[in-house]
Amino acid sequence: MSPAPSRAVVLVSGGLDSTTALGYDGRAQAEARRAVAAAGSLTADQQQAIAARHAELQGRWDEAIRIYRQMRRRYPDDLEHGLEMARAQIAGGAGEEALATLEELRRMPPPAGNDARIDLVAAEAAKRLTDFPRQQAAAERAARRAESLGAHLLYAEARAAFCDALVNQGQMVAGRAACD
């Protein structure tokens, strides 16, 4: 017996991130289309999350940002919606807007406002803006926060961003030493 439609849609939409991360963009787009088609049984919020993800996969950044902004207005205390909006802004070429979104997230009460992912996404935005000193500072903050939480994968991502920032500034030896 197959799972209930809403559960199936949630499972499909949840698999989009891992499928995309593995480089299977075509497969992720097909999964996104299936999720959108089956989303009728979901709540409006779940449908919007799937629609935003689908827009991202198709490179429709303005649409994805618009949807995430609506979700953020409805749920201003939801860190995840804010992070997704900032990532879409970065991908859509709106790095300064992403940094402004991340500053709003930093003003959230702890623990959300202290989340290391805010700094990690800020490092990504700074890199896109070719502000490598800012990338370095944000990555360093993310690494410190991740390490204090024992978040090993997040720490590794932050250290990689830190090394990348050093290399981007022409500090090859320091970048290599920091990454070893």
Side-chain angles (χ1 to χ4, degrees):
M1 184 170 181
S2 64
S6 62
R7 179 167 162 65
V9 172
V10 170
L11 290 173
V12 167
S13 67
L16 294 176
D17 289 332
S18 59
T19 305
T20 302
L22 292 171
Y24 300 120
D25 291 344
R27 185 172 169 192
Q29 287 182 14
E31 287 184 32
R33 282 191 296 276
R34 282 192 357 239
V36 169
S41 62
L42 297 177
T43 67
D45 293 336
Q46 291 169 324
Q47 289 177 18
Q48 270 199 307
I50 290 171
R53 192 70 181 105
H54 187 242
E56 284 182 277
L57 288 168
Q58 294 187 332
R60 297 189 327 257
W61 303 113
D62 290 341
E63 182 180 347
I65 293 165
R66 180 185 56 75
I67 294 168
Y68 285 129
R69 186 171 285 122
Q70 289 171 352
M71 294 169 74
R72 186 114 169 80
R73 278 191 206 115
R74 212 170 26 257
Y75 302 103
D77 296 334
D78 189 317
L79 178 64
E80 301 305 320
H81 293 324
L83 290 170
E84 291 298 329
M85 184 167 108
R87 286 183 187 111
Q89 288 168 323
I90 294 165
E96 291 293 344
E97 287 179 32
L99 289 171
T101 298
L102 295 164
E103 283 304 315
E104 288 176 20
L105 297 179
R106 278 192 186 92
R107 289 192 291 271
M108 293 175 74
N114 297 329
D115 194 296
R117 294 174 300 163
I118 296 170
D119 292 310
L120 189 58
V121 176
E124 184 182 336
K127 178 181 178 178
R128 280 292 183 103
L129 294 168
T130 65
D131 186 346
F132 304 126
R134 189 176 199 171
Q135 176 191 9
Q136 179 182 346
E140 193 168 24
R141 281 191 313 272
R144 276 195 315 269
R145 289 180 177 170
E147 186 175 34
S148 73
L149 296 171
H152 303 293
L153 181 57
L154 189 57
Y155 175 78
E157 290 178 43
R159 289 299 297 171
F162 178 77
C163 296
D164 187 48
L166 290 173
V167 170
N168 288 336
Q169 294 175 78
Q171 300 176 32
M172 304 302 182
V173 174
R176 182 179 169 104
C179 288
D180 285 342

